[in-house]
């Protein structure tokens, strides 16, 4: 009677609240053939008879994505179970359909009909599905036997009525809102012991437990745990083989009848019991934990030989007042993911022996910060004793491997990156010296080592223009290359370290000609032809093979051994995310070759001038990248490099479509060839700055000019000279854009592209910067530093004058 009544009440309330679901609802029973659709409507879930639990699609963020899950239907946002595949939650786009089928169990298809997930059944045919009031969804055969149930496939939450068998487990989430499997695990081991441990994702490798019940086979027969039970009165215990019980907790004075009770392995590693009144008005919330494990300091108890600790690498775990862990980064470090502090920290600077060496005398590089009682107990590489605190600090300071030193009772522990299991332990009474780079302004990506056994490398490409020599009918193009063939300069700010004994930077490798012939399969696959020679695709047989681009230089003289190596050294020392990386070289008799990383996405020229117009956003990013690469060459690398040949054919794109400048620094190599003839130049415009024709000194401003032209090409997605179009006034891009700019008609330069017109401020700014760059008078052109600042909006862009007051 009571049951009938409550069902009826549900019926009536549902009539108002849930008009659709009520008709397919039958006491939580779901007939084979029923389906649910991923949407925000009510037909997206099946309710349990009491209406406490819902099974179906819960919205995930605001992206029309849904999590296939079970949640408390009357409480916002508490998911107790979700479907998962490997380590990932099953997420369905809006319009996906979940069907209950006789043979496949639950089947989830996307709106196009492709299968996303299937529950499967152990065997047998499904007669009915039942959403129970316990929060368990069960697929039953015709004898009401269970074929599959969510209680047997738990995620991070354990509910009254649920049990966990040996080898069963709960796994935490990544974060409150990210349902991807996290590192923490509650496991009833095969030996009957219930443990909390972390795993080293993506594997299941379990670190040593940070909590356990010791319910193994001890001296007492049958005392090992058989299952973990959460009974309906809210008691959780390990049931032993002999029927004995190891009680973890009771409901802590909370009535399991009038309250929802759950135990969740939270994303911070704490396993906690929570309650929430069933009968509530207003905004009742989940209680703070009624009970939790570990109940001592998790930052101290969780210590892993082979894992990272509660917090990620390089971070420090601290206990908050509510006894939950939080993570902090030491000074000079910042969170890998600012939205997830448990993911660890990264240094804001580059540290390493090679890096220190490159930057000069070590004492200029680091500050030492002193922390108290902070330790990373598993990151030691040497222990020194007896020692003093000063000697400990000094020893770490002088040691390029050392990141941190901890000193306590005459002992010094030196530690290296990445630091793991970081925590504050006031009982230590120790001093921690941590090295922090003084100068973080020139933050550079870590140098990519040449491919060797340790480095499988980012495979990437170098491709050189092929169109240039073969097809160009435009004098400009030919001239620009001809000029740059002959006249390349590298201006030094300071002399290279040793002039007599040239030893190449250790991160450039010397290859034999034979090696490179084999790597390129006899110089078989030509990637392109450029001013400097022909480029071939190659694969170095290291590990699983590293793709490279091998450039055979044309015009290098033979008796310039020393200069060749000096130039290579300059190139080898450049490290910037917008430059193509040189791995090594070959210098054998007649043969001079350069080995570069291989970049998969070709040249900027092919990207810009193909039939499909790249997006405005992408083009903006590329423009920033080129500007930053040039700024680095001009001002930030140890030896100033003027490129002299900036054009879209010399800018490559990596896997992420980041712009990477190539062919920089080859200047001197070509200059060495005295026999190269120079064509007399007459005034033309391509990418070449006018001072080339005017006997003016060649400075970094020639690159600024070329950059201006390239920037216009990026904005307009067309070549700087286009005689093929019918319209004469548009043939020379620089003239045309300036005319459009003066007449206020910038829509035309982007061909009325919607995205660019919606971003008019940027469009206008970029055009103005470009016009500044292409000023005929080099002294009017900004430096690359100024260019970057203007592009980024750090400084205002003044109204530019006419770029060519003399010739027009
Ligand atoms: C799933 O259910 C929908 C709607 O009831 C139906 O059109 C579709 O054929 C079903 N798919 C399967 C695989 O049973
Ligand atoms: C969740 O975390 C995983 C692992 O850190 C990450 O790969 C994934 O992108 C995150 N998902 C969301 C929706 O943020
Ligand atoms: C749950 O376990 C507790 C403690 O073992 C026991 O007192 C209680 O009767 C159990 N409740 C049910 C419904 O079995
Ligand atoms: C639920 O709340 C109502 C009104 O606040 C009250 O009359 C009723 O007794 C409560 N029921 C339970 C089981 O607490
Ligand atoms: C640590 O050593 C460095 C280098 O000798 C020194 O500059 C610094 O002052 C020392 N710091 C402390 C706290 O002793
Ligand atoms: C560089 O260091 C200063 C002072 O320590 C800090 O304020 C700044 O944010 C750092 N910059 C970067 C890029 O880390």
């Amino acid at each position: 009677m009571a049951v009938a009544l409550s069902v009826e009440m549900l019926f009536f309330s549902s009539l108002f609240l849930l008009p659709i679901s009520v008709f397919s609802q039958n006491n939580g029973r779901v007939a084979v053939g029923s389906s649910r659709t991923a949407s925000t409507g009510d037909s997206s879930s099946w309710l349990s008879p009491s209406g406490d639990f819902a099974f179906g699609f819960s919205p995930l963020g605001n992206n029309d994505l849904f999590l296939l899950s079970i949640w408390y239907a009357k409480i916002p946002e508490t998911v107790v179970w979700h479907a998962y595949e490997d380590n990932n939650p099953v997420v369905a786009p809006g319009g996906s359909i979940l069907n209950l089928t006789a043979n496949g169990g639950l089947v989830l298809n996307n709106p196009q009909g492709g299968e996303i997930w299937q529950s499967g059944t152990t065997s047998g045919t499904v007669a009915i599905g039942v959403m129970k009031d316990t929060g368990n969804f069960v697929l039953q055969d015709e004898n009401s036997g269970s074929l599959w149930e969510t209680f047997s496939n738990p995620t991070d939450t354990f509910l009254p009525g649920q049990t966990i068998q040996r080898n069963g487990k709960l796994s935490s989430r990544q974060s409150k809102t990210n349902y991807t499997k996290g590192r923490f695990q509650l496991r009833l081991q095969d030996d009957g012991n219930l443990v909390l441990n972390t795993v080293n994702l993506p594997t299941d490798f379990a670190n040593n437990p940070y909590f356990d019940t010791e319910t193994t086979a001890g001296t007492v027969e049958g005392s090992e745990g058989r299952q973990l039970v959460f009974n309906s009165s809210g008691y959780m215990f390990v049931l032993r083989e002999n029927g004995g019980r190891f009680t973890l907790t009771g409901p802590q004075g909370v009535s399991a009848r009038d309250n929802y009770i759950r135990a969740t392995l939270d994303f911070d590693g704490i396993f906690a019991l929570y309650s929430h009144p069933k009968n509530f008005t207003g905004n009742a919330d989940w209680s703070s934990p009624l009970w939790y494990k570990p109940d001592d300091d998790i930052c101290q108890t969780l210590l892993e030989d082979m894992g990272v600790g509660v917090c990620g690498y390089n971070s420090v775990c601290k206990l908050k007042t509510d006894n939950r862990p939080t993570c902090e980064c030491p000074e000079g470090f910042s969170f890998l993911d600012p939205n997830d502090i448990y993911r660890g920290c990264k240094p804001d600077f580059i540290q390493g022996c090679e890096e220190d060496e490159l930057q000069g005398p070590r004492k200029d590089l680091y500050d030492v910060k002193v922390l108290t009682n902070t330790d990373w107990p598993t990151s030691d590489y040497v222990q020194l004793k007896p020692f003093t605190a000063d000697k400990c600090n000094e020893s770490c300071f002088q040691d390029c491997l050392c990141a941190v030193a901890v000193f306590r009772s005459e002992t010094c522990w030196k530690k290296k990156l990445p630091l793991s299991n970081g925590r504050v332990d006031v009982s230590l009474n120790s001093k921690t010296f941590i090295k922090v780079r003084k100068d973080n302004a020139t933050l550079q990506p870590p140098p990519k080592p040449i491919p060797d056994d340790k480095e499988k490398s980012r495979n990437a490409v170098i491709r050189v223009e092929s169109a240039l020599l073969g097809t160009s009918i435009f004098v400009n193009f030919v001239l620009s290359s001809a000029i740059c063939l002959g006249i390349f300069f590298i201006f030094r700010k300071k002399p290279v370290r040793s002039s007599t004994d040239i030893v190449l930077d250790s991160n450039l490798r010397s290859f034999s000609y034979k090696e490179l012939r084999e790597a390129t399969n006899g110089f078989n696959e030509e990637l392109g032809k450029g001013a400097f020679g022909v480029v071939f695709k190659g694969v170095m047989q290291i590990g699983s093979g590293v793709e490279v681009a091998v450039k055979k230089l044309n015009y290098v003289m033979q008796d310039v051994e020393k200069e060749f190596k000096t130039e290579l050294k300059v190139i080898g020392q450049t490290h910037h995310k917008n430059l193509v990386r040189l791995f090594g070289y070959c210098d054998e008799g007649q043969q001079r070759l350069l080995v570069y990383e291989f970049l998969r996405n070709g040249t900027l020229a092919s990207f810009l001038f193909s039939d499909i117009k790249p997006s405005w956003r992408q083009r903006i990013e590329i423009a920033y990248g080129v500007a930053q690469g040039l700024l680095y060459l001009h001002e930030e690398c140890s030896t100033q490099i003027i490129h002299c040949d900036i054009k879209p054919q010399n800018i490559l794109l990596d896997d992420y479509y980041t712009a990477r400048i190539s062919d920089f620094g080859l200047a001197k190599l070509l200059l060495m060839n005295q026999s190269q003839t120079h064509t007399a130049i007459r005034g033309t415009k391509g990418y070449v700055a006018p001072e080339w024709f005017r006997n003016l000194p060649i400075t970094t401003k020639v690159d600024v000019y070329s950059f201006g032209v390239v920037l216009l090409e990026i904005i307009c997605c067309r070549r700087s000279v286009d005689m093929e179009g019918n319209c004469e006034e548009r043939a020379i891009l620089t003239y045309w854009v300036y005319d459009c700019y003066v007449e206020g008609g910038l829509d035309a330069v982007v061909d009325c592209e919607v995205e660019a017109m919606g971003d008019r401020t940027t469009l206008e700014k970029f055009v103005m910067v470009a016009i500044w760059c292409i000023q005929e008078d080099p002294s009017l052109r900004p430096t690359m530093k100024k260019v970057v600042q203007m592009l980024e909006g750090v400084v205002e862009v003044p109204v530019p004058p006419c770029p060519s007051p003399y010739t027009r």
Side-chain angles (χ1 to χ4, degrees):
M1 187 63 196
V3 172
L5 200 66
S6 74
V7 170
E8 223 163 277
M9 280 169 65
L10 173 71
F11 185 88
F12 277 107
S13 64
S14 302
L15 212 52
F16 297 108
L17 299 172
L18 312 160
I20 302 167
S21 60
V22 74
F23 295 111
S24 53
Q25 203 85 54
N26 187 359
N27 227 355
R29 294 162 77 80
V30 177
V32 168
S34 303
S35 66
R36 281 291 175 259
T37 306
S39 68
T40 47
D42 298 315
S43 61
S44 63
S45 64
W46 288 303
L47 288 177
S48 71
S50 64
D52 283 345
F53 286 98
F55 175 48
F57 298 99
S58 56
L60 195 63
N62 298 320
N63 306 320
D64 197 33
L65 291 176
F66 296 85
L67 184 66
L68 182 58
S69 55
I70 295 177
W71 64 95
Y72 292 96
K74 297 171 185 170
I75 307 177
E77 291 173 9
T78 312
V79 168
V80 295
W81 178 88
H82 61 83
Y84 56 91
E85 188 96 61
D86 299 326
N87 291 340
N88 296 312
V90 172
V91 174
S96 299
I97 295 181
L98 177 69
N99 287 18
L100 181 57
T101 66
N103 296 318
L106 292 160
V107 179
L108 175 62
N109 288 327
N110 65 24
Q112 292 74 38
E115 187 176 303
I116 300 177
W117 176 82
Q118 203 182 43
S119 67
T121 56
T122 40
S123 59
T125 306
V126 177
I128 198 151
V130 186
M131 181 66 246
K132 300 198 163 183
D133 275 336
T134 51
N136 191 11
F137 188 87
V138 189
L139 298 180
Q140 293 178 348
D141 60 19
E142 55 192 18
N143 303 320
S144 297
S146 165
L147 296 171
W148 181 89
E149 53 188 281
T150 56
F151 269 11
S152 307
N153 299 276
T155 50
D156 61 353
T157 297
F158 196 38
L159 294 172
Q162 192 167 2
T163 56
I164 289 178
Q165 310 300 325
R166 284 209 197 142
N167 292 321
K169 62 180 185 233
L170 301 180
S171 291
S172 66
R173 307 173 189 168
Q174 283 280 339
S175 70
K176 199 167 176 352
T177 51
N178 185 333
Y179 292 86
T180 300
K181 190 164 120 181
R183 292 191 293 121
F184 302 97
Q185 237 181 27
L186 172 84
R187 212 154 44 100
L188 185 61
Q189 292 182 162
D190 208 22
D191 64 1
N193 202 4
L194 181 76
V195 301
L196 285 168
N197 61 255
T198 58
V199 295
N200 294 346
L201 292 172
T203 66
D204 257 342
F205 178 88
N207 291 299
N208 35 323
Y210 57 96
F211 165 80
D212 78 321
T213 55
E214 296 177 10
T215 46
T216 53
T219 45
V220 182
E221 179 87 6
S223 63
E224 63 269 32
R226 188 199 313 160
Q227 48 183 207
L228 176 65
V229 179
F230 200 178
N231 79 12
S232 55
S233 331
Y235 285 84
M236 200 191 320
F237 51 85
V238 176
L239 181 64
R240 300 180 192 270
E241 285 292 347
N242 59 18
R245 291 176 177 191
F246 177 97
T247 300
L248 285 152
T249 182
Q252 304 289 332
V254 171
S255 151
R257 202 193 55 203
D258 301 336
N259 290 276
Y260 299 119
I261 294 187
R262 69 181 166 97
T264 300
L265 178 57
D266 286 313
F267 61 89
D268 59 5
I270 304 272
F271 182 50
L273 185 74
Y274 300 92
S275 73
H276 189 295
K278 284 187 182 171
N279 195 2
F280 67 98
T281 51
N283 302 332
D285 204 352
W286 288 96
S287 66
S288 49
L290 304 171
W291 166 93
Y292 57 93
K293 287 289 172 197
D295 50 9
D296 49 4
D297 182 351
I298 187 173
C299 297
Q300 310 301 329
T301 45
L302 197 159
L303 177 62
E304 306 161 345
D305 300 336
M306 289 295 157
V308 300
V310 181
C311 299
Y313 288 115
N314 302 324
S315 46
V316 179
C317 180
K318 282 185 176 162
L319 214 58
K320 292 184 291 181
T321 48
D322 61 0
N323 274 356
R324 306 199 78 122
T326 184
C327 306
E328 292 177 1
C329 295
E331 193 175 332
F333 290 68
S334 53
F335 288 118
L336 275 171
D337 177 356
N339 298 318
D340 185 359
I341 61 169
Y342 296 87
R343 291 277 295 280
C345 308
K346 60 176 178 359
D348 294 331
F349 51 89
I350 308 294
Q351 183 176 1
C353 294
E354 209 171 82
E355 291 77 3
D356 288 2
E357 178 76 13
L358 276 176
Q359 302 295 326
R362 199 162 299 127
K363 68 172 163 16
D364 292 328
L365 295 179
Y366 294 96
D367 276 333
V368 176
K369 308 281 174 197
V370 183
L371 311 170
T372 44
N373 298 326
T374 305
D375 198 7
W376 290 271
T378 54
S379 302
D380 306 338
Y381 66 90
V382 71
Q383 180 175 349
L384 303 163
K385 188 181 181 179
F387 230 49
T388 63
D390 282 346
K391 276 159 82 183
C392 187
N393 168 32
E394 190 63 29
S395 169
C396 182
F397 190 76
Q398 297 293 353
D399 182 349
C400 60
L401 292 173
C402 184
V404 165
V406 170
F407 179 80
R408 165 165 45 96
S409 51
E410 289 197 344
T411 313
C412 178
W413 288 269
K414 293 207 286 182
K415 294 162 194 283
K416 58 188 179 340
L417 297 174
L419 302 163
S420 45
N421 290 289
R423 78 277 298 283
V424 170
D425 182 353
V426 288
S427 70
L428 281 180
N429 198 17
S430 67
K431 243 183 173 175
T432 304
F433 304 98
I434 181 162
K435 277 161 74 180
V436 179
R437 271 295 270 267
K438 277 182 183 166
D439 139 46
N440 56 3
T442 55
L443 187 65
Q444 294 170 15
K448 283 174 237 145
I450 54 147
D452 58 25
D453 298 49
K454 276 177 258 151
E455 166 83 4
K456 294 241 177 70
S457 152
R458 304 88 201 270
N459 318 327
V461 177
I462 194 176
R463 252 163 67 253
V464 171
E465 70 281 13
S466 56
L468 186 65
L469 297 176
T471 63
S472 173
I473 57 160
F474 305 121
V475 188
N476 319 54
F477 283 76
V478 176
L479 284 181
S480 71
S481 85
I483 295 160
C484 279
L485 274 179
I487 322 167
F488 285 76
F489 293 84
I490 293 180
F491 294 92
R492 293 235 150 63
K493 280 189 209 149
K494 56 184 184 193
V496 176
R497 252 171 282 168
S498 156
S499 55
T500 49
D501 175 28
I502 304 286
V503 181
L504 278 183
D505 193 309
S506 59
N507 58 18
L508 275 191
R509 181 159 142 192
S510 161
F511 295 93
S512 71
Y513 186 70
K514 182 162 164 286
E515 250 179 302
L516 295 184
R517 197 179 49 219
E518 280 164 13
T520 55
N521 198 6
F523 301 103
N524 185 29
E525 187 182 340
E526 189 176 311
L527 291 172
K529 234 190 228 96
F532 306 100
V534 185
V535 182
F536 300 93
K537 171 99 184 271
V539 177
M540 307 306 297
Q541 293 309 327
I542 298 160
S544 56
V546 176
E547 288 178 299
V548 293
V550 177
K551 180 178 292 199
K552 265 181 125 169
L553 295 178
N554 286 336
Y555 307 108
V556 184
M557 293 255 290
Q558 302 314 312
D559 53 351
V560 284
E561 179 74 8
K562 205 165 83 182
E563 285 85 351
F564 180 73
K565 298 222 162 144
T566 308
E567 292 325 305
L568 287 189
K569 182 165 178 156
V570 170
I571 302 169
Q573 281 178 349
T574 56
H575 300 297
H576 192 274
K577 66 177 193 303
N578 297 112
L579 300 181
V580 172
R581 184 98 176 101
L582 180 66
F583 286 153
Y585 63 96
C586 163
D587 181 17
E588 224 175 76
Q590 303 276 318
Q591 305 296 348
R592 293 244 162 87
L593 299 94
L594 300 178
V595 180
Y596 289 96
E597 61 178 328
F598 179 81
L599 296 176
R600 220 170 275 288
N601 281 321
T603 68
L604 177 59
S606 58
F607 185 65
L608 283 181
F609 310 139
S610 72
D611 295 339
I612 303 157
K613 196 171 184 174
S615 79
W616 175 245
R617 247 318 99 211
Q618 221 164 5
R619 275 149 49 213
I620 299 260
E621 288 307 317
I622 287 172
Y624 283 136
V626 177
Q628 259 143 7
L630 269 179
L631 170 60
Y632 174 84
L633 290 177
H634 289 177
E635 295 185 24
E636 289 170 0
C637 57
S638 56
T639 303
Q640 184 180 57
I641 296 175
I642 303 179
H643 191 295
C644 294
D645 200 14
I646 287 294
K647 56 186 172 185
Q649 291 83 358
N650 275 342
I651 296 163
L652 307 179
L653 300 173
D654 69 12
D655 288 359
Y656 307 102
Y657 291 91
T658 303
R660 309 273 296 268
I661 299 172
S662 78
D663 274 9
F664 55 89
L666 295 188
K668 267 289 174 59
L669 297 182
L670 288 186
L671 194 63
M672 288 166 205
N673 184 355
Q674 306 302 318
S675 68
Q676 181 65 30
T677 49
H678 305 168
T679 322
I681 310 293
R682 268 168 298 166
T684 44
K685 289 186 192 299
Y687 303 94
V688 191
E691 52 266 42
W692 289 105
F693 323 119
R694 296 204 178 132
N695 219 5
L696 289 171
I698 300 304
T699 67
T700 52
K701 294 291 179 70
V702 301
D703 286 348
V704 175
Y705 183 92
S706 309
F707 173 76
V709 178
V710 171
L711 181 55
L712 290 179
E713 292 184 319
I714 292 174
I715 294 168
C716 306
C717 266
R718 56 152 278 195
R719 295 176 193 276
S720 68
V721 181
D722 183 1
M723 299 294 187
E724 280 165 3
N726 305 325
C727 187
E728 202 180 314
E729 68 188 32
R730 295 187 170 196
I732 307 289
L733 180 63
T734 51
Y735 294 166
W736 177 57
V737 173
Y738 182 70
D739 291 346
C740 291
Y741 169 72
V742 170
E743 287 154 19
L746 285 186
D747 292 356
V749 310
V750 289
D751 203 11
C752 297
E753 182 183 353
V754 177
E755 213 187 338
M757 282 162 52
D759 189 11
R760 194 168 288 275
T761 328
T762 308
L763 171 61
E764 212 161 275
K765 181 173 69 183
F766 273 44
V767 167
M768 284 162 78
V769 172
I771 295 173
W772 275 112
C773 293
I774 55 172
Q775 294 293 318
E776 280 194 5
D777 178 355
S779 67
L780 288 180
R781 288 174 219 149
T783 60
M784 279 316 295
K785 182 164 198 145
K786 195 72 184 287
V787 167
V788 167
Q789 288 172 336
M790 290 194 290
L791 292 179
E792 287 176 344
V794 180
V795 301
E796 285 280 303
V797 191
V799 173
C802 176
S804 41
Y806 317 120
T807 51
R808 296 189 78 199

